[in-house]
Amino acid sequence: MKPRSILVTGGAGFIGSNLCLRLFGEGHHVICLDNCFTGDLRNFGDAYRDMVLSGRFEFIRHDVTEPITIEVDEIYHLACPASPVHYQYNPVKTIKTNVMGTHHMLGLAKRVNARILLASTSEVYGDPHVHPQTEDYWGNVNPIGVRSCYDEGKRVAETLMFDYHRQHDIPIRVARIFNTYGPNMAIDDGRVMSNFICQALRGEPLTVYGEGEQTRSFCYVSDLVDGLCRLMNGDNTGPINLGNDGEITMLELVKAIEDSVGTPLKIVHKPLPQDDPVRRRPDLTKARTLLGYDPKVPLEEGVKQTIQYFRKLLKDWGERPIEAARRTPAHAK
Ligand code: NAD
Ligand code: UDP
């Protein structure tokens, strides 16, 4: 494949850093753009120095709510906090990131004639009445709830993508990403996988929200990144669901983590957050048939890898409490 110049917004975050590493490994010139709200350059580990010295990797600290001019062939637009705890920290900023950020990236794509992929989300289906979720389902989203800065923000971002495509002929790709987990998740991410694993490793009870009967379908990050690359390099605009279609309850997730750590785990029930979807599982027919996408990493293996990653991170973290969304005033703008 001919090396290209590729911009990854949100490139220092969980999925973004895994994507940057893959694209860099394929020989592309990678420009990682991030405001470091939830992302961290340490996600690149020891590879960072060599990547920068190779001249094929650049980091730009920038906020996508501001426009930017830069020469690129492709844009993976991921910038946006993804954990409910993080996106609800500053909801106005979250919707600005989704709407203004996507508008700016589309403006850039138009100016330099770049193909652009939006990291949208299963949250566009809200608390779904259709199960499993197919791409033609329009969703059941509360427009004024605490999740709407994210859900509705992503829905507008999708609208902008398709309007730029129809009106300006911009080559677009829209991925609807379902719950993804794995190495480079932030320790204070606040999502269920990182919470449960960190709690298990610290000998704390696992915080199950509600009865724990709600379901999610968890995708390991390398599978998801593979899907993103297939979508970008294929011929379909999407929207296309990307994830893993193995659906489990939160109590079953506790059991999977228990099996992996090998010791009995205690749980404590906490209130269910507002508008928390009851069931979620992607219909992957489109991804499988149109992209040849096939998520390979079983939950058992993915959980094992993620435990290994958090074990190392917790060693450096020490005894300090893990509190999600303790961010600096700079991120409140
Ligand atoms: P993350 O929070 O780890 O990464 C988001 C990155 O975007 C961070 O590096 C953050 O600093 C950066 N960012 C946030 N606001 C920004 C701004 N205004 N300007 C520049 N950078 C900004 O989250 P993630 O899990 O890696 O998610 C990446 C993308 O994938 C997001 O768009 C998210 O909505 C989407 N997604 C993720 C999941 C999932 O399960 N992880 C599911 C659905 C969709
Ligand atoms: N959840 C939980 N305990 C936690 C964090 C989350 O039981 O410590 C539940 C949450 O209520 C939801 C599911 O796990 O039903 C997935 O939550 P997450 O924040 O990971 O992602 P999302 O709700 O966006 O799918």
Side-chain angles (χ1 to χ4, degrees):
M1 197 184 292
K2 208 169 143 253
R4 298 184 297 276
S5 182
I6 304 180
L7 173 66
V8 181
T9 77
F14 160 49
I15 298 176
S17 56
N18 280 286
L19 176 63
C20 283
L21 286 164
R22 160 138 176 188
L23 295 172
F24 182 82
E26 287 175 349
H28 299 293
H29 184 118
V30 179
I31 302 161
C32 166
L33 181 155
D34 207 292
N35 72 350
C36 295
F37 172 38
T38 52
D40 194 325
L41 284 177
R42 279 173 292 191
N43 280 333
F44 297 108
D46 296 339
Y48 184 70
R49 186 172 170 275
D50 288 344
M51 285 163 74
V52 172
L53 288 178
S54 76
R56 282 197 297 110
F57 184 82
E58 294 171 63
F59 171 68
I60 302 176
R61 190 165 183 141
H62 178 80
D63 197 305
V64 291
T65 57
E66 303 290 338
I68 189 164
T69 302
I70 186 176
E71 297 301 322
V72 288
D73 303 315
E74 276 176 11
I75 304 167
Y76 285 85
H77 178 39
L78 275 65
C80 178
S83 153
V85 184
H86 287 152
Y87 70 65
Q88 287 166 26
Y89 170 74
N90 183 353
V92 174
K93 179 64 188 264
T94 300
I95 196 149
K96 278 164 74 178
T97 295
N98 276 316
V99 179
M100 293 163 70
T102 304
H103 185 219
H104 290 143
M105 286 308 126
L106 280 161
L108 175 65
K110 181 167 166 245
R111 198 180 67 75
V112 299
N113 199 21
R115 186 179 287 191
I116 176 169
L117 179 150
L118 171 72
S120 185
T121 170
S122 54
E123 299 271 338
V124 299
Y125 302 123
D127 193 2
H129 292 152
V130 167
H131 193 80
Q133 290 79 58
T134 45
E135 290 85 349
D136 54 8
Y137 176 50
W138 290 355
N140 172 40
V141 174
N142 175 357
I144 57 166
V146 293
R147 292 176 88 103
S148 35
C149 58
Y150 183 74
D151 306 356
E152 295 287 26
K154 289 284 185 183
R155 285 165 70 98
V156 175
E158 287 198 10
T159 308
L160 277 167
M161 293 286 286
F162 278 89
D163 281 339
Y164 263 76
H165 177 58
R166 283 186 288 256
Q167 194 173 334
H168 300 298
D169 211 19
I170 304 297
I172 61 155
R173 303 288 182 266
V174 174
R176 290 189 179 149
I177 302 172
F178 284 64
N179 296 66
T180 302
Y181 71 101
N184 291 2
M185 286 187 99
I187 201 163
D188 66 347
D189 184 89
R191 278 177 281 192
V192 69
M193 192 64 87
S194 45
N195 274 8
F196 280 6
I197 290 179
C198 289
Q199 289 158 349
L201 293 178
R202 288 183 137 200
E204 296 168 3
L206 275 56
T207 51
V208 174
Y209 300 165
E211 294 301 311
E213 292 298 337
Q214 68 272 37
T215 69
R216 295 293 187 271
S217 307
F218 294 98
C219 181
Y220 193 66
V221 66
S222 56
D223 283 332
L224 193 272
V225 164
D226 183 59
L228 292 177
C229 295
R230 283 173 184 271
L231 177 58
M232 178 64 104
N233 297 323
D235 297 326
N236 292 276
T237 59
I240 291 196
N241 292 337
L242 292 176
N244 189 308
D245 46 12
E247 182 184 1
I248 56 167
T249 67
M250 295 313 102
L251 290 178
E252 286 167 339
L253 178 61
V254 171
K255 180 77 178 63
I257 294 172
E258 194 169 58
D259 289 348
S260 206
V261 291
T263 46
L265 299 175
K266 288 206 173 65
I267 61 169
V268 57
H269 289 275
K270 298 257 171 157
L272 192 66
Q274 191 193 326
D275 294 336
D276 200 89
V278 177
R279 299 183 76 186
R280 186 183 292 152
R281 171 156 64 100
D283 183 314
L284 294 176
T285 310
K286 257 181 107 174
R288 287 202 163 96
T289 52
L290 299 176
L291 307 178
Y293 172 71
D294 183 23
K296 292 195 164 49
V297 182
L299 186 73
E300 189 187 51
E301 175 60 24
V303 163
K304 207 171 100 193
Q305 298 294 335
T306 311
I307 287 177
Q308 226 170 64
Y309 159 78
F310 275 117
R311 212 185 275 281
K312 194 162 161 281
L313 221 59
L314 282 168
K315 227 187 209 164
D316 301 334
W317 194 263
E319 296 302 310
R320 284 176 290 151
I322 299 166
E323 234 183 281
R326 248 186 306 143
R327 303 284 153 185
T328 68
H331 296 120
K333 276 191 283 176

